[in-house]
Amino acid sequence: MTTLGALGGDAAAKAVTDAVAEAVAALRPAAGRDWSTVRAGRVEWDCRRTAQHVVSDLFAYATQLATRAPDAYRPVEYTLDPPDADAPTALEAIEAGGVMLALACRTAPRAARGFHPYPFRGAGREGFAAMGVAEVLLHTHDMAEGLGIAYRPSAELCGYVLARLFPHVRQGDDPWRTLLWATGRGTLPGEAPVTRWHWYNTPLIEAERLTLEALSVPAVADLALGGDGGHHWVPGGPFDGTREGAGMVASAYDKGALRPEWGSYVLLRREDDRALGSMGFHGPPDEEGRVEVGYDLAVAARGQGYATEALRALSAWALDQEGVRVVTARVEAANTPSRRVLERAAFRPVGHLEEPGGVLVLERRAD
């Protein structure tokens, strides 16, 4: 597994702090120049306008996370003061924005979420940290390119951004070069130029008592290696099925074949943010619009309807996605409780597989 970054609010805060420190150190030698007269690399802004954008994003992300903004950006605008601020003032503002975002990440609870429009309309502390780091890294590159100065962020920071926001992209041997390519700023051998791009945040699916939160690439890597994936588990967890599913997602990431919304989701009890197990897909939908689900639930959480509740929500979400027609599941013939969970979630038997002990195939259709 390549560079992924650590888990937790302190690690997220450190990533922001390190990114800002590296950027300011790189740009400070050019602080005596008039940045308003220099175009920032390939973007359409001058360097002062680009610095303003970085400042605005850092403060806005901190605000969204700290205030748990539910469904829109808070009605606050962050600008340089004065608007024609010189380069040293712009660098001071970037440092201040970094402090605010790092503080928000360090103090926010793990379950805290704030609105961000794309693609899943929300992010947690590690998502906002990664977005802030991405803005700093990429726009420092733009400014440095325009100003003609050297800049190369650490591989750890680049890996942090790629793992958090670009899980569909292989990091390769040079995460910085990969990040530049993935955002239309560079080339990679054997890869077509990127002309349109976006990043991913962690998707959420809400059920009655549970939140299904997609496991990030760093989380699945940690789980596959015996860690807790950054979650507080009920006694006995994480469980074998959860670790097995995490390993499948980690393998897909290493191959550059991961689509994060079709990975593994941790089942979080909202009342206490405890992880009860996991549920997810064996991969993205096939050409016929079929996708397969599997799940793993703590013994202590069984018999309370959690698995049925989660499966209803996850399969309904899947069937709402474009091109998906059928959600399938397999269960051992002798596993009556698991079969009943599937049937209560509107799955119906459609056949069986000739495997030891017998395996039933059930499905839920869009119609």
Side-chain angles (χ1 to χ4, degrees), residues 133-155:
V133 172
E135 296 287 353
V136 171
L137 267 58
L138 295 171
H139 289 307
T140 299
H141 163 78
D142 298 334
M143 290 185 280
E145 189 174 60
L147 293 164
I149 58 179
Y151 171 66
R152 184 181 179 87
S154 67

Side-chain angles (χ1 to χ4, degrees), residues 92-146:
E92 182 182 350
I94 290 173
E95 288 180 314
V99 170
M100 295 303 292
L101 180 54
L103 181 62
C105 292
R106 184 173 288 114
T107 57
R110 195 218 62 81
R113 303 280 294 190
F115 171 82
H116 185 274
Y118 195 84
F120 302 118
R121 302 188 65 78
R125 60 191 185 187
E126 291 168 350
F128 277 116
M131 289 189 291
V133 172
E135 296 287 353
V136 171
L137 267 58
L138 295 171
H139 289 307
T140 299
H141 163 78
D142 298 334
M143 290 185 280
E145 189 174 60

Side-chain angles (χ1 to χ4, degrees), residues 169-367:
V169 173
R170 292 185 64 186
Q171 290 196 22
D173 296 329
D174 188 343
W176 177 227
R177 187 173 184 181
T178 300
L179 181 58
L180 292 177
W181 166 77
T183 57
R185 291 170 167 82
T187 61
L188 277 182
E191 300 287 352
V194 173
T195 57
R196 299 183 65 183
W197 60 275
H198 64 79
W199 59 41
Y200 286 89
N201 269 307
T202 305
L204 295 182
I205 298 171
E206 300 290 353
E208 291 88 346
R209 297 168 294 168
L210 303 174
T211 295
L212 283 67
E213 180 177 316
L215 287 165
S216 68
V217 169
V220 296
D222 186 61
L223 283 165
L225 293 174
D228 61 13
H231 293 283
H232 298 294
W233 294 81
V234 295
F239 313 98
D240 290 344
T242 294
R243 296 197 188 281
E244 182 180 348
M248 292 170 59
V249 176
S251 177
Y253 175 70
D254 280 342
K255 297 174 183 176
L258 177 61
R259 290 176 59 183
E261 66 270 43
W262 300 107
S264 185
Y265 291 73
V266 61
L267 309 183
L268 298 166
R269 189 167 53 197
R270 276 199 297 276
E271 68 178 27
D272 58 5
D273 197 38
R274 290 283 178 175
L276 308 181
S278 66
M279 182 174 292
F281 304 99
H282 291 195
D286 62 19
E287 295 178 355
E288 297 179 352
R290 304 175 70 88
V291 63
E292 184 176 350
V293 296
Y295 51 91
D296 181 44
L297 191 68
V299 173
R302 295 175 188 174
Q304 302 174 59
Y306 289 124
T308 299
E309 177 182 321
L311 187 57
R312 284 173 179 161
L314 186 66
S315 56
W317 175 88
L319 291 169
D320 279 342
Q321 307 310 302
E322 184 177 357
V324 178
R325 297 175 52 251
V326 184
V327 181
T328 68
R330 289 180 285 179
V331 61
E332 293 180 358
N335 192 344
T336 301
S338 186
R339 177 177 176 175
R340 287 175 177 167
V341 165
L342 288 160
E343 291 174 342
R344 285 194 294 266
F347 283 72
R348 297 294 176 261
V350 294
H352 65 277
L353 301 177
E354 295 297 336
E355 295 185 8
V359 173
L360 300 177
V361 180
L362 298 91
E363 64 181 34
R364 176 176 174 178
R365 291 183 168 270
D367 54 3

